[in-house]
Amino acid sequence: MAEIAHSSIVQTKEKVFYDTFKRLMDVVCSLAALVLLSPLFFITAVAIRREDQGPVIFAQDRTGKNGKVFRMYKFRSMYVDAEKRRNELLAQNEADGPLFKIAEDPRITKVGRFIRKTSIDELPQLINILKGEMSIVGPRPLVTYEQNQCNEYQAQRLLVKPGLTCIWQVSGRSDTKFDELIEMDLEYIRNRSLWLDIKLILKTVVVVFTHKGAY
């Protein structure tokens, strides 16, 4: 853990500039996106409510930088009783490690499948970015009970703010094995820079339009 901590936390002048500019980019881009995408937010909210009565936004505890827990927002893509039904489906889990994923999850609504394929469900996290709980680029935040199952080596992914997109999001998404996910997150922490962030944002746009690994 010492190697990662040394290379990513020591506050050099270059590092301070990167953190400052990245936060500025997060605020400007998230504000602009919230304004420009407001019609899409409205249409999505109406579609969710028409199919399944219940809250439009799903809020869930996630683990952020240095282990701080925060409420992460998503457009609700599952039926309102989805969390209660999770235990019934554990035997069908297709993910490894602490993750839980089913390609044909019966808890997902019709609208939910579409907004997941297109990543529209993730857009409310722009609010988390604006609040400073997340960044545009960084390791995806795990659900608290999933993060709690991680060992000390895997927990190094918490050295930076979680993000809306990351290396594994553009390298397979749901098809990525958990150990591979960890290594990609640590690779990002070691090598993060403005140029890498910009490249990952551009790659994310391509992946969203191709729907690669999304379910």
Side-chain angles (χ1 to χ4, degrees), residues 23 105 111 153 195:
R23 178 57 186 154
D105 196 322
V111 171
Y153 177 76
W195 174 236

Side-chain angles (χ1 to χ4, degrees), residues 1-10 153 156 159 186 189-192:
M1 185 169 183
E3 181 181 349
I4 296 282
H6 261 319
S7 62
S8 58
I9 291 187
V10 173
Y153 177 76
Q156 293 177 97
L159 290 173
L186 298 187
I189 291 174
R190 286 190 294 266
N191 303 311
R192 68 195 192 280

